[in-house]
Amino acid sequence: MDVIIDNLPLYWEGFLRTLFLSAVSGVIALLLGTVLAAARVSPVAALRGFSMTYVEILRNTPLTIAFFFAAIVLPRLGVKFEQFEVAAIIALSAYTAAFIAEAVRSGVNSVPVGQAEAARSIGMKFGQVLSLIILPQALRTVIPPLINILIALVKNSSVAGAFFVLELFGYGRQLANSNGDQVMAVLIGVAFFYLLITVPLGILASTVERKVAIVR
Amino acid sequence: MKAFLTRRKSFVVAASAALALTLSACGGSTGTTSDPTVAEKPTFAAGSTMEKLASAGTIKIGTKFDQPLFGQVGLDGKPIGFDVEMGKLIAAKLGIAADKIEWSETVSANREPFIEQGKVDLVIATYTINDKRKQVVSFAGPYYEAGQALMVNKDNDTIKKPEDVKGKKVCSVTGSTPAGTIVEKYGAVLVPAATYSACLEPLRNKQVEAITTDNVILAGFVDKEPDAFKLASDETFTKEPYGIGLKKDDTVFRNWINDQLEEFSKDGSYKKAWEATAGSVIKTAPELPAINRY
């Protein structure tokens, strides 16, 4: 266990970077995912088609491929970033947004059609129906799956370690390389720091769910 | 057109080598030289390893199979490279022809055990001499001194020496010795990768300015894509002396190999072996390093 204590600063740096990647990608994915879900239920066929294509492609592609695309193919096409963190955030948020869109869509489907019809009948436009009536109820219904997706996002961020970003997993690999005799301890340390993010997220999920649950 | 020319060139080299000597040794690809002249019935002191090997008429040599330019096995199953040439030269001095050598693959992890268990008589496998290894095996040589180097894009003329990478992005494998050196000693910004080959794309895309590790590994990459990459310089900035591993405390054999190495250097076969293999990328032919007779 000495290796964990001796390298706490390294672990901490990795932990902060993992937290940063997850937080930024999480926020972007939540926004993008909600927009995609809205597009999916909108009356405009082109938007529905775009949203469906996006979700189906990103959801069914391995995350590593998304990373490969962001970190290696994009620069070849002329989109260059100074920091590989940018590529990681693009890959993570684009990938996660697809899952969030599907979760939100399932929430939208859970809102009885009568509510939308009632809103329309008092003269609300589509945007108003969606933002005032449907989405607030939909999002509250899907808190548990949304948090699950965010927990997966935190763990998925470890893929960035293989794409030139030194986050928790990247430092873990570095420590394992230089401490060949204590690989188990190194990995236990890495797991501990991931739990430090994911377990509170789980607790947050149940708290929020209790607070905002809709009794139907 | 370029590929066509290269292929043609290698054909010409192979053809002329075949004409000059015999047809036997051409592996069908560049980097192969022909058989060195095999000694006719050499005599050795009774009981020595040389005598045993010479009378058996065969020798078991371990080398890397995946290290381009030093020891690499192609589709024909025959290893080629500088390490392989060294092995052939030594075998020839024992009166053993190249086709009587039994090659086996020694990766980094099994080199010491293979020597200790007698599975190989010699290990010539980009094998760095160090004190930890000297506890269990003996080393003849060094026959080559590798070292850390920088690889850059073909069109990059700003990086020539390690001092030039200060504050610039350099790709290397996380936790490796070369990565530590370039950051701590030369102030580069490390872009960490899982393997050295993973560094190639960022270099091509100019997201990093150089890749660093042992020059022989980099030379292997340059050999594959000479139009894209080059070594920043033939100079290296750390020292990794490569030795020939053999059974511990077989001093007679070790001294004999050391004598042969010095002779190869004198009669030009050392230089010839270099030019036919690693010399295609690392242009400056090395001098044989001072033999360490410990």
Side-chain angles (χ1 to χ4, degrees), chain B residues 11-282:
Chain B
F11 172 73
V12 172
V13 170
S16 55
L19 277 176
L21 295 141
T22 56
L23 276 163
S24 60
C26 276
S29 108
T30 47
T32 314
T33 59
S34 17
D35 290 348
T37 325
V38 177
E40 295 260 350
K41 295 214 170 67
T43 49
F44 298 104
S48 66
T49 311
M50 292 86 79
E51 193 226 356
K52 271 182 238 156
L53 292 171
S55 61
T58 175
I59 182 169
K60 290 170 285 185
I61 303 181
T63 190
K64 291 243 174 99
F65 280 11
D66 58 352
Q67 176 67 69
L69 304 176
F70 277 74
Q72 187 181 29
V73 169
L75 290 176
D76 61 359
K78 284 184 192 142
I80 52 172
F82 184 63
D83 282 343
V84 174
E85 290 307 313
M86 287 290 118
K88 283 187 196 165
L89 287 169
I90 291 169
K93 291 285 179 190
L94 292 164
I96 301 167
D99 56 356
K100 293 275 189 272
I101 302 173
E102 287 174 33
W103 296 101
S104 49
E105 182 172 19
T106 45
V107 297
S108 296
N110 71 13
R111 291 181 295 201
E112 289 87 6
F114 269 32
I115 295 174
E116 288 177 281
Q117 295 159 12
K119 284 192 178 154
V120 293
D121 298 305
L122 294 175
V123 166
I124 315 176
T126 59
Y127 197 10
T128 304
I129 304 175
N130 69 30
D131 289 339
K132 243 184 186 171
R133 290 173 182 161
K134 275 188 190 170
Q135 305 283 324
V136 284
V137 300
S138 283
F139 284 102
Y143 62 94
Y144 176 66
E145 204 156 61
Q148 194 172 345
L150 290 160
M151 185 171 93
V152 294
N153 280 316
K154 184 99 178 173
D155 57 4
N156 183 331
D157 289 322
T158 54
I159 296 176
K160 293 276 178 213
K161 49 189 191 302
E163 285 79 12
D164 296 341
V165 299
K166 195 171 167 44
K168 292 185 175 157
K169 286 189 189 165
V170 176
C171 188
S172 194
V173 165
T174 336
S176 66
T177 329
T181 311
I182 204 76
V183 171
E184 281 151 30
K185 216 169 149 202
Y186 296 105
V189 179
L190 180 71
V191 173
T195 60
Y196 290 110
S197 47
C199 291
L200 295 177
E201 285 304 318
L203 179 63
R204 219 192 298 272
N205 294 333
K206 301 196 165 73
Q207 286 166 299
V208 302
E209 305 219 23
I211 303 176
T212 187
T213 179
D214 282 4
N215 60 342
V216 298
I217 297 175
L218 297 178
F221 292 141
V222 176
D223 188 44
K224 269 190 226 145
E225 293 184 77
D227 296 330
F229 308 124
K230 66 174 183 189
L231 291 178
S233 136
D234 280 357
E235 304 286 316
T236 57
F237 47 97
T238 62
K239 294 209 177 306
E240 303 279 343
Y242 287 170
I244 297 177
L246 52 110
K247 222 173 203 129
K248 187 166 162 57
D249 294 333
D250 191 347
T251 316
V252 180
F253 193 29
R254 191 176 78 216
N255 286 338
W256 180 81
I257 295 176
N258 283 336
D259 293 342
Q260 304 315 308
L261 288 175
E262 281 171 349
E263 203 180 319
F264 300 153
S265 170
K266 258 183 246 151
D267 68 13
S269 45
Y270 179 83
K271 193 158 174 271
K272 215 171 94 190
W274 180 264
E275 279 163 1
T277 55
S280 64
V281 176
I282 305 172

Side-chain angles (χ1 to χ4, degrees), chain A residues 71-72 75-76 80-84 161-166 170 173-174 177-178, chain B residues 169 171 173-176 190-194 198-199 201-202 204-208:
Chain A
I72 291 173
R76 260 205 190 190
K80 289 188 185 159
F81 350 93
E82 276 299 298
Q83 302 296 332
F84 279 100
F163 288 88
F164 318 106
V165 178
L166 270 183
R173 204 177 47 209
Q174 176 168 340
N177 266 354
S178 42
Chain B
K169 286 189 189 165
C171 188
V173 165
T174 336
S176 66
L190 180 71
V191 173
C199 291
E201 285 304 318
R204 219 192 298 272
N205 294 333
K206 301 196 165 73
Q207 286 166 299
V208 302

